[in-house]
Amino acid sequence: MKKPLILALLLLAAGILSAQTISTRTGHIWFFSSTPLENIEAHNNQAAANLNTQTGDMAFIVLMNGFQFEKAEMQKHFQEKYAESEKYPKSTFSGKISNIGSVNFRKNGTYPVQVSGTMDLHGVKKPVSANGSIIVLDGKIRATSKFQLATADYNISIPAAVRDNIAKTLDVNVDVTYSPLNP
């Protein structure tokens, strides 16, 4: 499925198409696993995301095969054994910024926000809450957040042979720059 079609479906499914909706197809999502034996980091710069600046409704779609690792072997194992990308090709989040009224999208500043919603990863839907920031700078709107996900919560099993190499809880980072608001 082509990226523009995915974004259009995301917007329609979220039911928040409006003049107050800002979006991106180049959101940056990455995760980090730290253990005494090995650090693992993977980046995806193709996250589709939207945000309704009036209601706080937001949604993300991340294609799992878009994660890039430093080592090709790690990427292969991630796709085949952990993410099972052929069976679970995407991860989604649908939620809301509860304090959207405290963000002035027309004034430069960094605004702390609280986000809650549902993460669908590896075929498992779970509630997720996280703190983040909306950064407004000269008309550009950026959102950032950092939270943790436990692999066991999403039925991602880690084989015993590499269990000490992969953290049970991953740090997940979100950094997206949305299209500008219409004047």
Side-chain angles (χ1 to χ4, degrees):
M1 196 177 289
K2 295 185 179 180
K3 290 178 194 174
L5 182 56
I6 290 172
L7 183 58
L9 290 173
L10 171 68
L11 293 171
L12 289 173
I16 57 175
L17 281 175
S18 71
Q20 294 82 27
T21 299
I22 53 178
S23 62
T24 185
R25 292 182 304 181
T26 57
H28 182 199
I29 306 226
W30 70 100
F31 64 83
F32 183 73
S33 162
S34 178
T35 68
L37 296 177
E38 184 171 37
N39 290 332
I40 300 170
E41 188 169 354
H43 294 262
N44 186 325
N45 289 297
Q46 302 171 352
N50 65 25
L51 168 63
N52 184 304
T53 60
Q54 199 162 17
T55 66
D57 292 328
M58 63 185 327
F60 285 82
I61 291 180
V62 179
L63 297 178
M64 299 308 289
N65 64 7
F67 282 99
Q68 302 295 310
F69 292 74
E70 183 179 342
K71 298 176 184 174
E73 194 67 21
M74 282 183 181
Q75 188 157 331
K76 180 180 178 190
H77 287 164
F78 173 78
Q79 298 302 331
E80 293 174 359
K81 296 180 181 180
Y82 310 120
E84 298 178 90
S85 299
E86 286 190 21
K87 186 175 181 180
Y88 307 107
K90 67 184 181 212
S91 175
T92 64
F93 174 82
S94 179
K96 188 174 189 101
I97 296 174
S98 61
N99 61 327
I100 195 68
S102 67
V103 179
N104 184 342
F105 288 95
R106 305 272 183 212
K107 182 179 178 189
N108 286 351
T110 299
Y111 303 90
V113 294
Q114 293 84 43
V115 179
S116 296
T118 302
M119 175 82 69
D120 184 343
L121 173 65
H122 204 246
V124 177
K125 293 180 180 180
K126 301 260 296 159
V128 173
S129 294
N131 292 323
S133 295
I134 301 285
I135 300 116
V136 179
L137 182 61
D138 299 332
K140 293 183 182 166
I141 300 167
R142 185 173 158 221
T144 63
S145 183
K146 181 176 182 179
F147 58 96
Q148 295 186 325
L149 289 179
T151 55
D153 287 349
Y154 294 92
N155 296 333
I156 299 171
S157 43
I158 310 298
V162 294
R163 194 160 287 144
D164 292 338
N165 295 45
I166 301 171
K168 291 176 178 63
T169 302
L170 305 175
D171 291 328
V172 179
N173 297 273
V174 177
D175 190 346
V176 297
T177 301
Y178 290 101
S179 58
L181 276 173
N182 294 330

